[in-house]
PDB file of all heavy atoms in Angstrom:
ATOM      1  N   ASP A   1       0.822  -1.224  -0.001  1.00  0.00           N
ATOM      2  CA  ASP A   1       0.041  -0.018  -0.038  1.00  0.00           C
ATOM      3  C   ASP A   1       0.834   1.273  -0.008  1.00  0.00           C
ATOM      4  O   ASP A   1       0.299   2.355  -0.151  1.00  0.00           O
ATOM      5  CB  ASP A   1      -0.950   0.042   1.205  1.00  0.00           C
ATOM      6  CG  ASP A   1      -0.254   0.062   2.539  1.00  0.00           C
ATOM      7  OD1 ASP A   1       0.934   0.188   2.602  1.00  0.00           O
ATOM      8  OD2 ASP A   1      -0.985   0.017   3.575  1.00  0.00           O
ATOM      9  N   HIS A   2       2.168   1.175   0.227  1.00  0.00           N
ATOM     10  CA  HIS A   2       3.108   2.272   0.125  1.00  0.00           C
ATOM     11  C   HIS A   2       2.837   3.298   1.248  1.00  0.00           C
ATOM     12  O   HIS A   2       3.273   4.460   1.032  1.00  0.00           O
ATOM     13  CB  HIS A   2       3.135   2.921  -1.282  1.00  0.00           C
ATOM     14  CG  HIS A   2       3.390   1.940  -2.377  1.00  0.00           C
ATOM     15  ND1 HIS A   2       4.553   1.180  -2.387  1.00  0.00           N
ATOM     16  CD2 HIS A   2       2.710   1.580  -3.477  1.00  0.00           C
ATOM     17  CE1 HIS A   2       4.563   0.433  -3.444  1.00  0.00           C
ATOM     18  NE2 HIS A   2       3.438   0.608  -4.159  1.00  0.00           N
ATOM     19  N   VAL A   3       2.197   2.932   2.299  1.00  0.00           N
ATOM     20  CA  VAL A   3       2.004   3.869   3.391  1.00  0.00           C
ATOM     21  C   VAL A   3       3.314   3.900   4.228  1.00  0.00           C
ATOM     22  O   VAL A   3       3.854   2.858   4.587  1.00  0.00           O
ATOM     23  CB  VAL A   3       0.835   3.451   4.281  1.00  0.00           C
ATOM     24  CG1 VAL A   3       0.790   4.318   5.531  1.00  0.00           C
ATOM     25  CG2 VAL A   3      -0.488   3.636   3.482  1.00  0.00           C
ATOM     26  N   GLY A   4       3.768   5.099   4.537  1.00  0.00           N
ATOM     27  CA  GLY A   4       5.035   5.245   5.268  1.00  0.00           C
ATOM     28  C   GLY A   4       6.027   6.150   4.499  1.00  0.00           C
ATOM     29  O   GLY A   4       5.586   6.915   3.627  1.00  0.00           O
ATOM     30  N   VAL A   5       7.282   6.069   4.848  1.00  0.00           N
ATOM     31  CA  VAL A   5       8.321   6.902   4.259  1.00  0.00           C
ATOM     32  C   VAL A   5       9.321   5.949   3.596  1.00  0.00           C
ATOM     33  O   VAL A   5       9.801   5.049   4.236  1.00  0.00           O
ATOM     34  CB  VAL A   5       9.045   7.724   5.301  1.00  0.00           C
ATOM     35  CG1 VAL A   5      10.201   8.516   4.712  1.00  0.00           C
ATOM     36  CG2 VAL A   5       7.983   8.647   6.019  1.00  0.00           C
ATOM     37  N   PHE A   6       9.614   6.195   2.269  1.00  0.00           N
ATOM     38  CA  PHE A   6      10.464   5.306   1.505  1.00  0.00           C
ATOM     39  C   PHE A   6      11.423   6.130   0.605  1.00  0.00           C
ATOM     40  O   PHE A   6      11.044   7.116   0.064  1.00  0.00           O
ATOM     41  CB  PHE A   6       9.607   4.374   0.624  1.00  0.00           C
ATOM     42  CG  PHE A   6       8.591   3.536   1.385  1.00  0.00           C
ATOM     43  CD1 PHE A   6       7.378   4.062   1.655  1.00  0.00           C
ATOM     44  CD2 PHE A   6       8.963   2.314   1.849  1.00  0.00           C
ATOM     45  CE1 PHE A   6       6.419   3.282   2.375  1.00  0.00           C
ATOM     46  CE2 PHE A   6       8.050   1.496   2.536  1.00  0.00           C
ATOM     47  CZ  PHE A   6       6.805   2.003   2.814  1.00  0.00           C
ATOM     48  N   ARG A   7      12.636   5.583   0.524  1.00  0.00           N
ATOM     49  CA  ARG A   7      13.593   6.239  -0.339  1.00  0.00           C
ATOM     50  C   ARG A   7      13.366   5.935  -1.797  1.00  0.00           C
ATOM     51  O   ARG A   7      12.949   4.825  -2.148  1.00  0.00           O
ATOM     52  CB  ARG A   7      15.024   5.713   0.045  1.00  0.00           C
ATOM     53  CG  ARG A   7      16.189   6.501  -0.578  1.00  0.00           C
ATOM     54  CD  ARG A   7      17.519   5.942  -0.003  1.00  0.00           C
ATOM     55  NE  ARG A   7      18.612   6.666  -0.588  1.00  0.00           N
ATOM     56  CZ  ARG A   7      19.164   7.792  -0.089  1.00  0.00           C
ATOM     57  NH1 ARG A   7      18.624   8.277   1.046  1.00  0.00           N
ATOM     58  NH2 ARG A   7      20.193   8.368  -0.648  1.00  0.00           N
ATOM     59  N   GLN A   8      13.554   6.911  -2.647  1.00  0.00           N
ATOM     60  CA  GLN A   8      13.414   6.778  -4.069  1.00  0.00           C
ATOM     61  C   GLN A   8      14.694   6.411  -4.731  1.00  0.00           C
ATOM     62  O   GLN A   8      15.798   6.466  -4.168  1.00  0.00           O
ATOM     63  CB  GLN A   8      12.845   8.062  -4.692  1.00  0.00           C
ATOM     64  CG  GLN A   8      11.445   8.469  -4.182  1.00  0.00           C
ATOM     65  CD  GLN A   8      11.003   9.773  -4.834  1.00  0.00           C
ATOM     66  OE1 GLN A   8       9.833  10.167  -4.571  1.00  0.00           O
ATOM     67  NE2 GLN A   8      11.754  10.451  -5.636  1.00  0.00           N
ATOM     68  N   THR A   9      14.626   6.083  -6.017  1.00  0.00           N
ATOM     69  CA  THR A   9      15.834   5.747  -6.770  1.00  0.00           C
ATOM     70  C   THR A   9      16.793   6.941  -6.908  1.00  0.00           C
ATOM     71  O   THR A   9      18.018   6.752  -7.091  1.00  0.00           O
ATOM     72  CB  THR A   9      15.476   5.270  -8.181  1.00  0.00           C
ATOM     73  OG1 THR A   9      14.605   6.241  -8.836  1.00  0.00           O
ATOM     74  CG2 THR A   9      14.689   3.933  -8.112  1.00  0.00           C
ATOM     75  N   ASP A  10      16.286   8.144  -6.871  1.00  0.00           N
ATOM     76  CA  ASP A  10      17.097   9.366  -7.039  1.00  0.00           C
ATOM     77  C   ASP A  10      17.641   9.941  -5.648  1.00  0.00           C
ATOM     78  O   ASP A  10      18.166  11.009  -5.625  1.00  0.00           O
ATOM     79  CB  ASP A  10      16.332  10.408  -7.819  1.00  0.00           C
ATOM     80  CG  ASP A  10      15.055  10.862  -7.082  1.00  0.00           C
ATOM     81  OD1 ASP A  10      14.780  10.385  -6.023  1.00  0.00           O
ATOM     82  OD2 ASP A  10      14.348  11.755  -7.655  1.00  0.00           O
ATOM     83  N   GLY A  11      17.329   9.209  -4.586  1.00  0.00           N
ATOM     84  CA  GLY A  11      17.803   9.676  -3.300  1.00  0.00           C
ATOM     85  C   GLY A  11      16.783  10.491  -2.519  1.00  0.00           C
ATOM     86  O   GLY A  11      16.979  10.721  -1.314  1.00  0.00           O
ATOM     87  N   LYS A  12      15.771  10.927  -3.219  1.00  0.00           N
ATOM     88  CA  LYS A  12      14.671  11.662  -2.513  1.00  0.00           C
ATOM     89  C   LYS A  12      13.748  10.676  -1.876  1.00  0.00           C
ATOM     90  O   LYS A  12      14.048   9.427  -1.932  1.00  0.00           O
ATOM     91  CB  LYS A  12      13.882  12.545  -3.475  1.00  0.00           C
ATOM     92  CG  LYS A  12      14.738  13.718  -4.053  1.00  0.00           C
ATOM     93  CD  LYS A  12      13.949  14.591  -4.986  1.00  0.00           C
ATOM     94  CE  LYS A  12      14.786  15.692  -5.566  1.00  0.00           C
ATOM     95  NZ  LYS A  12      13.978  16.555  -6.514  1.00  0.00           N
ATOM     96  N   TYR A  13      12.638  11.059  -1.284  1.00  0.00           N
ATOM     97  CA  TYR A  13      11.716  10.183  -0.618  1.00  0.00           C
ATOM     98  C   TYR A  13      10.278  10.334  -1.113  1.00  0.00           C
ATOM     99  O   TYR A  13       9.912  11.407  -1.546  1.00  0.00           O
ATOM    100  CB  TYR A  13      11.771  10.421   0.873  1.00  0.00           C
ATOM    101  CG  TYR A  13      13.055   9.962   1.526  1.00  0.00           C
ATOM    102  CD1 TYR A  13      14.213  10.728   1.439  1.00  0.00           C
ATOM    103  CD2 TYR A  13      13.100   8.720   2.203  1.00  0.00           C
ATOM    104  CE1 TYR A  13      15.415  10.284   2.021  1.00  0.00           C
ATOM    105  CE2 TYR A  13      14.296   8.246   2.808  1.00  0.00           C
ATOM    106  CZ  TYR A  13      15.423   9.092   2.661  1.00  0.00           C
ATOM    107  OH  TYR A  13      16.637   8.618   3.227  1.00  0.00           O
ATOM    108  N   PHE A  14       9.490   9.261  -0.983  1.00  0.00           N
ATOM    109  CA  PHE A  14       8.075   9.414  -1.159  1.00  0.00           C
ATOM    110  C   PHE A  14       7.371   9.078   0.173  1.00  0.00           C
ATOM    111  O   PHE A  14       7.876   8.232   0.923  1.00  0.00           O
ATOM    112  CB  PHE A  14       7.520   8.627  -2.274  1.00  0.00           C
ATOM    113  CG  PHE A  14       7.553   7.129  -2.189  1.00  0.00           C
ATOM    114  CD1 PHE A  14       6.570   6.444  -1.499  1.00  0.00           C
ATOM    115  CD2 PHE A  14       8.598   6.404  -2.739  1.00  0.00           C
ATOM    116  CE1 PHE A  14       6.609   5.064  -1.379  1.00  0.00           C
ATOM    117  CE2 PHE A  14       8.602   4.999  -2.655  1.00  0.00           C
ATOM    118  CZ  PHE A  14       7.634   4.330  -1.995  1.00  0.00           C
ATOM    119  N   VAL A  15       6.292   9.718   0.449  1.00  0.00           N
ATOM    120  CA  VAL A  15       5.573   9.536   1.671  1.00  0.00           C
ATOM    121  C   VAL A  15       4.079   9.085   1.346  1.00  0.00           C
ATOM    122  O   VAL A  15       3.420   9.866   0.635  1.00  0.00           O
ATOM    123  CB  VAL A  15       5.552  10.893   2.507  1.00  0.00           C
ATOM    124  CG1 VAL A  15       4.688  10.706   3.769  1.00  0.00           C
ATOM    125  CG2 VAL A  15       6.993  11.281   2.896  1.00  0.00           C
ATOM    126  N   GLY A  16       3.670   7.988   1.895  1.00  0.00           N
ATOM    127  CA  GLY A  16       2.337   7.563   1.704  1.00  0.00           C
ATOM    128  C   GLY A  16       1.471   7.762   2.972  1.00  0.00           C
ATOM    129  O   GLY A  16       1.965   7.362   4.078  1.00  0.00           O
ATOM    130  N   ALA A  17       0.343   8.348   2.800  1.00  0.00           N
ATOM    131  CA  ALA A  17      -0.456   8.692   3.962  1.00  0.00           C
ATOM    132  C   ALA A  17      -1.933   8.156   3.799  1.00  0.00           C
ATOM    133  O   ALA A  17      -2.444   8.082   2.694  1.00  0.00           O
ATOM    134  CB  ALA A  17      -0.552  10.220   4.150  1.00  0.00           C
ATOM    135  N   ALA A  18      -2.503   7.808   4.922  1.00  0.00           N
ATOM    136  CA  ALA A  18      -3.861   7.223   4.911  1.00  0.00           C
ATOM    137  C   ALA A  18      -4.875   8.210   5.445  1.00  0.00           C
ATOM    138  O   ALA A  18      -4.847   8.683   6.585  1.00  0.00           O
ATOM    139  CB  ALA A  18      -3.878   6.015   5.881  1.00  0.00           C
ATOM    140  N   PRO A  19      -5.804   8.598   4.551  1.00  0.00           N
ATOM    141  CA  PRO A  19      -6.996   9.304   5.031  1.00  0.00           C
ATOM    142  C   PRO A  19      -7.993   8.327   5.738  1.00  0.00           C
ATOM    143  O   PRO A  19      -7.573   7.111   5.865  1.00  0.00           O
ATOM    144  CB  PRO A  19      -7.633   9.877   3.776  1.00  0.00           C
ATOM    145  CG  PRO A  19      -7.173   8.933   2.717  1.00  0.00           C
ATOM    146  CD  PRO A  19      -5.883   8.414   3.110  1.00  0.00           C
ATOM    147  N   THR A  20      -9.126   8.709   6.080  1.00  0.00           N
ATOM    148  CA  THR A  20     -10.101   7.811   6.641  1.00  0.00           C
ATOM    149  C   THR A  20     -11.024   7.252   5.589  1.00  0.00           C
ATOM    150  O   THR A  20     -11.835   7.977   5.098  1.00  0.00           O
ATOM    151  CB  THR A  20     -10.906   8.518   7.817  1.00  0.00           C
ATOM    152  OG1 THR A  20      -9.965   9.015   8.762  1.00  0.00           O
ATOM    153  CG2 THR A  20     -11.837   7.506   8.459  1.00  0.00           C
ATOM    154  N   VAL A  21     -10.819   5.983   5.268  1.00  0.00           N
ATOM    155  CA  VAL A  21     -11.602   5.214   4.250  1.00  0.00           C
ATOM    156  C   VAL A  21     -11.900   6.035   2.986  1.00  0.00           C
ATOM    157  O   VAL A  21     -12.965   5.980   2.418  1.00  0.00           O
ATOM    158  CB  VAL A  21     -12.947   4.674   4.879  1.00  0.00           C
ATOM    159  CG1 VAL A  21     -12.636   3.620   5.908  1.00  0.00           C
ATOM    160  CG2 VAL A  21     -13.857   5.752   5.450  1.00  0.00           C
ATOM    161  N   GLY A  22     -10.916   6.789   2.527  1.00  0.00           N
ATOM    162  CA  GLY A  22     -11.077   7.513   1.290  1.00  0.00           C
ATOM    163  C   GLY A  22     -11.858   8.770   1.301  1.00  0.00           C
ATOM    164  O   GLY A  22     -11.994   9.466   0.275  1.00  0.00           O
ATOM    165  N   ARG A  23     -12.477   9.114   2.435  1.00  0.00           N
ATOM    166  CA  ARG A  23     -13.336  10.264   2.524  1.00  0.00           C
ATOM    167  C   ARG A  23     -12.453  11.563   2.679  1.00  0.00           C
ATOM    168  O   ARG A  23     -11.761  11.692   3.662  1.00  0.00           O
ATOM    169  CB  ARG A  23     -14.299  10.181   3.637  1.00  0.00           C
ATOM    170  CG  ARG A  23     -15.184  11.349   3.970  1.00  0.00           C
ATOM    171  CD  ARG A  23     -15.998  11.852   2.771  1.00  0.00           C
ATOM    172  NE  ARG A  23     -16.756  10.897   2.005  1.00  0.00           N
ATOM    173  CZ  ARG A  23     -17.998  10.563   2.293  1.00  0.00           C
ATOM    174  NH1 ARG A  23     -18.644  11.073   3.336  1.00  0.00           N
ATOM    175  NH2 ARG A  23     -18.697   9.711   1.526  1.00  0.00           N
ATOM    176  N   ILE A  24     -12.515  12.418   1.675  1.00  0.00           N
ATOM    177  CA  ILE A  24     -11.737  13.632   1.699  1.00  0.00           C
ATOM    178  C   ILE A  24     -12.630  14.816   1.357  1.00  0.00           C
ATOM    179  O   ILE A  24     -13.874  14.715   1.599  1.00  0.00           O
ATOM    180  CB  ILE A  24     -10.524  13.626   0.749  1.00  0.00           C
ATOM    181  CG1 ILE A  24     -10.991  13.152  -0.658  1.00  0.00           C
ATOM    182  CG2 ILE A  24      -9.449  12.654   1.242  1.00  0.00           C
ATOM    183  CD1 ILE A  24      -9.931  13.200  -1.696  1.00  0.00           C
ATOM    184  N   SER A  25     -12.130  15.905   0.891  1.00  0.00           N
ATOM    185  CA  SER A  25     -12.945  17.069   0.539  1.00  0.00           C
ATOM    186  C   SER A  25     -12.166  17.995  -0.292  1.00  0.00           C
ATOM    187  O   SER A  25     -10.888  17.888  -0.377  1.00  0.00           O
ATOM    188  CB  SER A  25     -13.453  17.803   1.810  1.00  0.00           C
ATOM    189  OG  SER A  25     -12.354  18.404   2.457  1.00  0.00           O
ATOM    190  N   GLY A  26     -12.797  18.947  -0.982  1.00  0.00           N
ATOM    191  CA  GLY A  26     -12.072  19.956  -1.694  1.00  0.00           C
ATOM    192  C   GLY A  26     -11.226  20.775  -0.787  1.00  0.00           C
ATOM    193  O   GLY A  26     -10.022  21.092  -1.149  1.00  0.00           O
ATOM    194  N   THR A  27     -11.734  21.088   0.368  1.00  0.00           N
ATOM    195  CA  THR A  27     -10.910  21.842   1.337  1.00  0.00           C
ATOM    196  C   THR A  27      -9.680  21.140   1.709  1.00  0.00           C
ATOM    197  O   THR A  27      -8.559  21.726   1.763  1.00  0.00           O
ATOM    198  CB  THR A  27     -11.780  22.135   2.552  1.00  0.00           C
ATOM    199  OG1 THR A  27     -12.923  22.925   2.205  1.00  0.00           O
ATOM    200  CG2 THR A  27     -10.968  22.896   3.620  1.00  0.00           C
ATOM    201  N   LEU A  28      -9.834  19.834   1.997  1.00  0.00           N
ATOM    202  CA  LEU A  28      -8.663  19.036   2.373  1.00  0.00           C
ATOM    203  C   LEU A  28      -7.605  18.958   1.238  1.00  0.00           C
ATOM    204  O   LEU A  28      -6.391  19.055   1.458  1.00  0.00           O
ATOM    205  CB  LEU A  28      -9.099  17.628   2.809  1.00  0.00           C
ATOM    206  CG  LEU A  28      -7.968  16.704   3.235  1.00  0.00           C
ATOM    207  CD1 LEU A  28      -7.460  17.095   4.610  1.00  0.00           C
ATOM    208  CD2 LEU A  28      -8.460  15.245   3.245  1.00  0.00           C
ATOM    209  N   LEU A  29      -8.133  18.802   0.018  1.00  0.00           N
ATOM    210  CA  LEU A  29      -7.206  18.660  -1.111  1.00  0.00           C
ATOM    211  C   LEU A  29      -6.452  19.972  -1.351  1.00  0.00           C
ATOM    212  O   LEU A  29      -5.268  19.958  -1.749  1.00  0.00           O
ATOM    213  CB  LEU A  29      -7.927  18.277  -2.396  1.00  0.00           C
ATOM    214  CG  LEU A  29      -8.528  16.839  -2.398  1.00  0.00           C
ATOM    215  CD1 LEU A  29      -9.288  16.567  -3.647  1.00  0.00           C
ATOM    216  CD2 LEU A  29      -7.418  15.830  -2.200  1.00  0.00           C
ATOM    217  N   HIS A  30      -7.046  21.120  -1.069  1.00  0.00           N
ATOM    218  CA  HIS A  30      -6.329  22.392  -1.123  1.00  0.00           C
ATOM    219  C   HIS A  30      -5.216  22.448  -0.111  1.00  0.00           C
ATOM    220  O   HIS A  30      -4.114  22.896  -0.339  1.00  0.00           O
ATOM    221  CB  HIS A  30      -7.329  23.581  -0.973  1.00  0.00           C
ATOM    222  CG  HIS A  30      -7.775  24.138  -2.242  1.00  0.00           C
ATOM    223  ND1 HIS A  30      -6.892  24.580  -3.286  1.00  0.00           N
ATOM    224  CD2 HIS A  30      -9.004  24.347  -2.736  1.00  0.00           C
ATOM    225  CE1 HIS A  30      -7.604  25.031  -4.279  1.00  0.00           C
ATOM    226  NE2 HIS A  30      -8.908  24.932  -4.015  1.00  0.00           N
ATOM    227  N   GLN A  31      -5.559  21.959   1.066  1.00  0.00           N
ATOM    228  CA  GLN A  31      -4.561  21.937   2.163  1.00  0.00           C
ATOM    229  C   GLN A  31      -3.395  21.045   1.755  1.00  0.00           C
ATOM    230  O   GLN A  31      -2.207  21.322   1.999  1.00  0.00           O
ATOM    231  CB  GLN A  31      -5.183  21.448   3.468  1.00  0.00           C
ATOM    232  CG  GLN A  31      -6.192  22.425   4.030  1.00  0.00           C
ATOM    233  CD  GLN A  31      -6.956  21.838   5.255  1.00  0.00           C
ATOM    234  OE1 GLN A  31      -7.327  20.692   5.241  1.00  0.00           O
ATOM    235  NE2 GLN A  31      -7.037  22.632   6.290  1.00  0.00           N
ATOM    236  N   VAL A  32      -3.743  19.839   1.184  1.00  0.00           N
ATOM    237  CA  VAL A  32      -2.661  18.948   0.665  1.00  0.00           C
ATOM    238  C   VAL A  32      -1.793  19.665  -0.335  1.00  0.00           C
ATOM    239  O   VAL A  32      -0.562  19.581  -0.274  1.00  0.00           O
ATOM    240  CB  VAL A  32      -3.306  17.668   0.079  1.00  0.00           C
ATOM    241  CG1 VAL A  32      -2.251  16.817  -0.618  1.00  0.00           C
ATOM    242  CG2 VAL A  32      -4.003  16.882   1.183  1.00  0.00           C
ATOM    243  N   ALA A  33      -2.476  20.335  -1.302  1.00  0.00           N
ATOM    244  CA  ALA A  33      -1.685  20.962  -2.325  1.00  0.00           C
ATOM    245  C   ALA A  33      -0.747  22.043  -1.738  1.00  0.00           C
ATOM    246  O   ALA A  33       0.450  22.140  -2.169  1.00  0.00           O
ATOM    247  CB  ALA A  33      -2.605  21.643  -3.324  1.00  0.00           C
ATOM    248  N   ASP A  34      -1.211  22.794  -0.741  1.00  0.00           N
ATOM    249  CA  ASP A  34      -0.359  23.773  -0.132  1.00  0.00           C
ATOM    250  C   ASP A  34       0.836  23.136   0.607  1.00  0.00           C
ATOM    251  O   ASP A  34       1.986  23.624   0.505  1.00  0.00           O
ATOM    252  CB  ASP A  34      -1.183  24.619   0.843  1.00  0.00           C
ATOM    253  CG  ASP A  34      -2.188  25.519   0.219  1.00  0.00           C
ATOM    254  OD1 ASP A  34      -2.030  25.838  -0.980  1.00  0.00           O
ATOM    255  OD2 ASP A  34      -3.169  25.952   0.933  1.00  0.00           O
ATOM    256  N   ILE A  35       0.586  22.020   1.267  1.00  0.00           N
ATOM    257  CA  ILE A  35       1.659  21.326   2.027  1.00  0.00           C
ATOM    258  C   ILE A  35       2.655  20.751   1.004  1.00  0.00           C
ATOM    259  O   ILE A  35       3.883  20.867   1.226  1.00  0.00           O
ATOM    260  CB  ILE A  35       1.045  20.221   2.921  1.00  0.00           C
ATOM    261  CG1 ILE A  35       0.242  20.848   4.022  1.00  0.00           C
ATOM    262  CG2 ILE A  35       2.134  19.294   3.395  1.00  0.00           C
ATOM    263  CD1 ILE A  35      -0.573  19.882   4.822  1.00  0.00           C
ATOM    264  N   VAL A  36       2.172  20.150  -0.045  1.00  0.00           N
ATOM    265  CA  VAL A  36       3.064  19.515  -1.034  1.00  0.00           C
ATOM    266  C   VAL A  36       3.929  20.584  -1.674  1.00  0.00           C
ATOM    267  O   VAL A  36       5.146  20.399  -1.847  1.00  0.00           O
ATOM    268  CB  VAL A  36       2.257  18.781  -2.068  1.00  0.00           C
ATOM    269  CG1 VAL A  36       3.111  18.352  -3.281  1.00  0.00           C
ATOM    270  CG2 VAL A  36       1.556  17.561  -1.481  1.00  0.00           C
ATOM    271  N   GLU A  37       3.324  21.713  -2.071  1.00  0.00           N
ATOM    272  CA  GLU A  37       4.128  22.788  -2.690  1.00  0.00           C
ATOM    273  C   GLU A  37       5.138  23.334  -1.739  1.00  0.00           C
ATOM    274  O   GLU A  37       6.292  23.638  -2.133  1.00  0.00           O
ATOM    275  CB  GLU A  37       3.133  23.883  -3.150  1.00  0.00           C
ATOM    276  CG  GLU A  37       3.856  25.002  -3.972  1.00  0.00           C
ATOM    277  CD  GLU A  37       2.901  25.974  -4.577  1.00  0.00           C
ATOM    278  OE1 GLU A  37       1.741  26.086  -4.078  1.00  0.00           O
ATOM    279  OE2 GLU A  37       3.276  26.609  -5.595  1.00  0.00           O
ATOM    280  N   ALA A  38       4.749  23.523  -0.482  1.00  0.00           N
ATOM    281  CA  ALA A  38       5.651  24.104   0.533  1.00  0.00           C
ATOM    282  C   ALA A  38       6.887  23.177   0.785  1.00  0.00           C
ATOM    283  O   ALA A  38       7.943  23.658   1.242  1.00  0.00           O
ATOM    284  CB  ALA A  38       4.909  24.340   1.845  1.00  0.00           C
ATOM    285  N   HIS A  39       6.709  21.897   0.433  1.00  0.00           N
ATOM    286  CA  HIS A  39       7.801  20.926   0.688  1.00  0.00           C
ATOM    287  C   HIS A  39       8.479  20.523  -0.653  1.00  0.00           C
ATOM    288  O   HIS A  39       9.224  19.593  -0.691  1.00  0.00           O
ATOM    289  CB  HIS A  39       7.240  19.738   1.363  1.00  0.00           C
ATOM    290  CG  HIS A  39       6.928  19.940   2.840  1.00  0.00           C
ATOM    291  ND1 HIS A  39       5.719  20.537   3.177  1.00  0.00           N
ATOM    292  CD2 HIS A  39       7.607  19.722   3.958  1.00  0.00           C
ATOM    293  CE1 HIS A  39       5.745  20.704   4.545  1.00  0.00           C
ATOM    294  NE2 HIS A  39       6.815  20.182   5.038  1.00  0.00           N
ATOM    295  N   GLY A  40       8.272  21.388  -1.690  1.00  0.00           N
ATOM    296  CA  GLY A  40       9.114  21.277  -2.874  1.00  0.00           C
ATOM    297  C   GLY A  40       8.718  20.206  -3.862  1.00  0.00           C
ATOM    298  O   GLY A  40       9.524  19.821  -4.739  1.00  0.00           O
TER     299      GLY A  40
END
């Protein structure tokens, strides 16, 4: 399921996270986008 923190082939990392049974929202996705962008 790729949940957790894992090293990539290029030395960077990917992070897998679990929401609650897939239920999200537009508001939450905007927050995710802001967090992702802030972390490069």
Side-chain angles (χ1 to χ4, degrees):
D1 64 5
H2 304 301
V3 171
V5 177
F6 302 88
R7 191 176 180 87
Q8 298 180 176
T9 54
D10 60 2
K12 295 180 181 180
Y13 289 78
F14 67 84
V15 176
T20 303
V21 294
R23 176 52 54 87
I24 51 175
S25 66
T27 299
L28 181 73
L29 290 179
H30 265 305
Q31 293 173 316
V32 171
D34 290 342
I35 291 169
V36 170
E37 185 173 23
H39 288 80

